[in-house]
Each structure stands twice: as structure tokens, then as C-alpha cells.
């Protein structure tokens, strides 16, 4: 962990990146990859389902800020008592029956027993009746504009994961949140196939989670909740898939969703990661931006670029570091120099 590169290693990485960037993808193909980005990601999830990525059980170790402060302390106590230093997946969801029952009791208590779905959102029966009887909000103070008209409106702590994929962050988080009353998780992806994988999972429950299709690059597309209500936004290996020209606008829009004091947690590919150096000539779209064989794209950041983007969006740095790690595949006798950027930025109070 946190390897230091020698000057020779740094220079070698720069040379490899410069070499594989010499031949750029044709402009018409670049335009196609941009216009049809969702198609390529849908094909990715159609092919791999939820078998490609592992559950991110490291999230709470690197980003304890995901959870409300009191739940963080409880988790630490639970970990000490069970002699585990981190949440692992050996018995994932083995205790979920009990936790989900507690979550259901919380849901029923707060939503009057029984719920239904209207326009894709979950409401208690009284809310649903009000919406269906009076869909235009007449004589009701514009019902759809009131707090109870969006999922998670009764929550006191709200999290959004952008680019949820097949749920490799969603379900480790839900495993903890479903036993934490007052919390709610939103998760979105612009690949409809990914969102369907999340919603069809046996552990998905609309009582404490809302998964929806959303293109973060479309500024005109509204989120299913108001601005300035989120405590945490999780942005993990997502911004790198977006065209560099659009990144700043995406970050600006996400910053508006955070409440004052809210935190944006970021982790993504760093400059000269092994994945960047392995690209062959002809896969480079623009400087440090590449297309994979399956049509999906990836950008490799420096921590200064990350700082500039979030600072321009009005967020304050809490953490911003380069995480260099050495991974060894003993079977293939291959060493990989991994480089990631990990950052935490807060919206000023």
C-alpha cells in the first residue's frame, strides 16, 4: 500500500503513456462512442450481469463518512467485539433477515402500515390515494412538490451513489443501512440494464433504497428529489467514464444536491495506472482518455485535476491523495502498479 515510485519508474510510465497516445481514434468513431455510451454500458451489463466486479466491502474502511456518525461508532464497537477489522463478504447478508425485519418495522411505523407504488415511487396508502385522486395537486398545495412526494422524504440521512452499476456498493451499504433507522440510499446509473440488475436483486427493498436511471451529463434531467438534501454523494470509478469536457458540469450539478456540510466521496483511476499503460496504440481518444475494446471509456486523473474540479464547484478539500499500490498475481508472476486518486470534499456550512 502507498508505494513510492522511483524516478526511473515514473519516467518509464510517462514514456509508455506517450507511446500509446500517438495514434488517436478517428473523429467519427470518437463521436460514436460519445453518442452511444449508454449502449456500450448496457451491452457490458448484459454480458457480465453482476459477475464482473466484486462487492466493495472496503468502502467503510476508506470512507467511514458514508454512515451517520452514531452508526460509525456502533460499527467500530461491533467490529471490536466480533474481532473483525473490516466488513467482509464471507457471510454476506447472513444476518439480513433480522436486519430487514427491523427495517420493515421502521418503514411500517413511519408509513402507516402498507405501501404502494405510484409513478415509480413508494408511498404509504394515504399518500398514494391523495396522489391518484388529485394527480395535478389541485387544492393541495401542489402535492407533487411537497416533501412527501419523493422517495426517502421522511429520512434524516440520505446518500446518493452515482453510477451504481450492478450494485457492488449498494448492497454492502444496504447491509448496514437497513439496520439504521432514518437513513435512505439513492442509486442511479445511465445504463438501464445495470439499474434492473440492482432492482431485481433479492436484497433490494424500496423501503430504504431507490434505484433509478439517470444521465448525469444531462443538466436538464431532474433528480427524483430536491436539491440540498443529500448528506453524502459517492462517486467511485464513474467520473472517469465521462468525456473530460463534461466533467466540470457534472461535478457542479452534484454539488448542488449536497446539503451544507454534506460530503462528496471520490475514488477513480490515477495517471499512469497499469490500466493506462496497457492500452495499445489506436485506443487513445484524447490526452489520458481511452476507449476499451468493448466501447466503454476511461480517463486517468491527477490529484490536481480533481482538486480543481471540486474547488470550482464550491467544495472544500478534506482529503485528496494519490494511492499507489503494488498488486502481484503470483500465478501469472505479474506485478501491477495500481494508481488511484482518493478524495473527500465537503460543501461549506
Amino acid at each position: 500500500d502507498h508505494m513510492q515510485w522511483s524516478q526511473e519508474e515514473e519516467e518509464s510510465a510517462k514514456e509508455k503513456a506517450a507511446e500509446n497516445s500517438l495514434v488517436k481514434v478517428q473523429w467519427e468513431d470518437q463521436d460514436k462512442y460519445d453518442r452511444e455510451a449508454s449502449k456500450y454500458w448496457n451491452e457490458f451489463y448484459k454480458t457480465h450481469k453482476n459477475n464482473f466486479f466484486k462487492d466493495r466491502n472496503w468502502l467503510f474502511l476508506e470512507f467511514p463518512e458514508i454512515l451517520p456518525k452514531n452508526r460509525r461508532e456502533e460499527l467500530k464497537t461491533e467490529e471490536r467485539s466480533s474481532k473483525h477489522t473490516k466488513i467482509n463478504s464471507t457471510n454476506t447478508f447472513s444476518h439480513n433477515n433480522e436486519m430487514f425485519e427491523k427495517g420493515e418495522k421502521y418503514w411500517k411505523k413511519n408509513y402507516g402500515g402498507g405501501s404502494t407504488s405510484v409513478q415509480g415511487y413508494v408511498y404509504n396508502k394515504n399518500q398514494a390515494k391523495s396522489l391518484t385522486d388529485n394527480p395535478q395537486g389541485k387544492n393541495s398545495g401542489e402535492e407533487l412538490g411537497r416533501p412527501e412526494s419523493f422517495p426517502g422524504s421522511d429520512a434524516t440521512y440520505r446518500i446518493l451513489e452515482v453510477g451504481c452499476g450492478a450494485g457492488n456498493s449498494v448492497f454492502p451499504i444496504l447491509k448496514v443501512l437497513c439496520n439504521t433507522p432514518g437513513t435512505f440510499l439513492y442509486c442511479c446509473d445511465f445504463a438501464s440494464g445495470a439499474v434492473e440488475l440492482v432492482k431485481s436483486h433479492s436484497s433490494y427493498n424500496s423501503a430504504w433504497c431507490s434505484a433509478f436511471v439517470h444521465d448525469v451529463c444531462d443538466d436538464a434531467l431532474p433528480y427524483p428529489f430536491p436539491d440540498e438534501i443529500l448528506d453524502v454523494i459517492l462517486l467511485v470509478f464513474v467520473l472517469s467514464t465521462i468525456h473530460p469536457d463534461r466533467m466540470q458540469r457534472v461535478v457542479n450539478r452534484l454539488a448542488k444536491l449536497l446539503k451544507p456540510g454534506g460530503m462528496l466521496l471520490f475514488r477513480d483511476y490515477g495517471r499512469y495506472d497499469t490500466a493506462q499503460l496497457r492500452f495499445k496504440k489506436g485506443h487513445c481518444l484524447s490526452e489520458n482518455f481511452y476507449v476499451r475494446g468493448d466501447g466503454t471509456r476511461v480517463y486517468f486523473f491527477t490529484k490536481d485535476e480533481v482538486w480543481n474540479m471540486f474547488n470550482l464547484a464550491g467544495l472544500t478539500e478534506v482529503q485528496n491523495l494519490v494511492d499507489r499500490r503494488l498488486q502481484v498475481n503470483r500465478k501469472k508472476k505479474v506485478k501491477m502498479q495500481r494508481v488511484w486518486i482518493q478524495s473527500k470534499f465537503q460543501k461549506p456550512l
Side-chain angles (χ1 to χ4, degrees):
D1 289 358
H2 300 288
M3 294 284 295
Q4 295 298 316
W5 284 17
S6 67
Q7 187 173 352
E8 184 181 342
E9 287 174 319
E10 190 90 32
E11 290 302 319
S12 174
K14 287 180 180 178
E15 287 175 12
K16 287 181 181 178
E19 185 181 342
N20 70 20
S21 301
L22 287 173
V23 181
K24 299 291 192 296
V25 175
Q26 295 286 332
W27 172 248
E28 55 268 26
D29 288 329
Q30 291 205 32
D31 186 53
K32 178 187 71 173
Y33 291 130
D34 198 48
R35 284 185 290 102
E36 302 180 6
S38 62
K39 185 191 84 169
Y40 289 111
W41 279 107
N42 269 316
E43 289 175 354
F44 175 90
Y45 287 109
K46 185 177 179 180
T47 300
H48 298 288
K49 307 292 183 186
N50 57 358
N51 300 316
F52 191 82
F53 300 109
K54 294 180 180 179
D55 279 354
R56 292 168 176 160
N57 295 303
W58 50 265
L59 279 174
F60 301 105
L61 188 64
E62 300 292 346
F63 296 133
E65 297 86 356
I66 292 174
L67 300 174
K69 192 172 182 180
N70 60 336
R71 189 65 180 109
R72 284 179 235 163
E73 297 304 318
E74 288 174 9
L75 267 184
K76 287 180 184 178
T77 304
E78 289 171 12
E79 288 169 359
R80 284 194 295 266
S81 64
S82 61
K83 296 182 180 179
H84 288 297
T85 57
K86 62 181 179 179
I87 298 172
N88 58 57
S89 59
T90 55
N91 57 351
T92 303
F93 302 110
S94 62
H95 300 295
N96 267 14
N97 286 339
E98 180 184 351
M99 291 193 290
F100 280 119
E101 284 173 10
K102 289 180 180 178
E104 290 284 7
K105 287 177 182 176
Y106 167 74
W107 180 251
K108 289 177 181 178
K109 177 183 176 183
N110 287 277
Y111 286 80
S115 61
T116 189
S117 176
V118 178
Q119 298 178 352
Y121 301 148
V122 177
Y123 303 91
N124 69 31
K125 290 177 180 176
N126 292 333
Q127 290 172 333
K129 186 176 187 304
S130 175
L131 285 169
T132 52
D133 288 350
N134 192 9
Q136 301 305 318
K138 295 175 182 177
N139 302 319
S140 63
E142 292 299 321
E143 188 71 18
L144 288 176
R146 291 175 59 180
E148 60 265 27
S149 68
F150 68 90
S153 58
D154 284 351
T156 56
Y157 192 89
R158 302 181 185 93
I159 304 164
L160 167 66
E161 188 198 3
V162 179
C164 61
N168 300 97
S169 296
V170 170
F171 296 109
I173 294 172
L174 280 183
K175 181 182 176 183
V176 177
L177 288 195
C178 67
N179 200 27
T180 311
T183 57
F184 198 87
L185 174 66
Y186 303 97
C187 56
C188 66
D189 202 289
F190 83 148
S192 57
V195 174
E196 285 306 310
L197 285 172
V198 171
K199 296 175 82 169
S200 63
H201 194 286
S202 59
S203 298
Y204 178 80
N205 192 313
S206 55
W208 47 79
C209 182
S210 175
F212 57 98
V213 178
H214 191 87
D215 182 357
V216 294
C217 293
D218 186 350
D219 289 343
L221 194 62
Y223 285 83
F225 48 80
D227 286 353
E228 296 198 332
I229 69 156
L230 297 178
D231 294 272
V232 174
I233 294 176
L234 191 63
L235 195 61
V236 176
F237 296 105
V238 174
L239 201 61
S240 56
T241 67
I242 295 170
H243 194 287
D245 291 347
R246 294 198 179 110
M247 290 180 184
Q248 186 64 59
R249 289 170 62 187
V250 170
V251 173
N252 291 348
R253 182 69 187 96
L254 292 176
K256 292 179 181 178
L257 299 176
L258 285 171
K259 63 172 62 170
M263 190 82 73
L264 195 151
L265 307 175
F266 174 87
R267 188 173 176 86
D268 220 318
Y269 295 101
R271 190 70 45 87
Y272 309 133
D273 176 68
T274 291
Q276 179 178 10
L277 305 185
R278 282 181 171 176
F279 276 105
K280 305 297 183 185
K281 289 181 181 178
H283 284 263
C284 186
L285 298 163
S286 59
E287 193 172 358
N288 303 302
F289 190 42
Y290 300 80
V291 61
R292 302 183 182 97
D294 60 7
T296 62
R297 301 172 300 173
V298 58
Y299 184 84
F300 297 88
F301 295 94
T302 66
K303 73 172 187 176
D304 288 341
E305 287 175 335
V306 171
W307 185 89
N308 283 331
M309 273 192 294
F310 291 114
N311 183 59
L312 283 172
L315 303 180
T316 303
E317 177 189 330
V318 175
Q319 180 191 74
N320 190 31
L321 56 84
V322 180
D323 184 1
R324 291 187 173 93
R325 303 196 181 198
L326 177 65
Q327 291 183 346
V328 181
N329 186 322
R330 291 182 175 83
K331 186 176 181 180
K332 295 182 179 180
K333 296 182 180 179
V334 173
K335 292 183 178 181
M336 296 174 286
Q337 297 272 20
R338 304 313 310 265
V339 184
W340 298 303
I341 307 296
Q342 180 166 303
S343 311
K344 303 173 185 180
F345 286 85
Q346 190 169 33
K347 189 168 187 174
L349 290 167

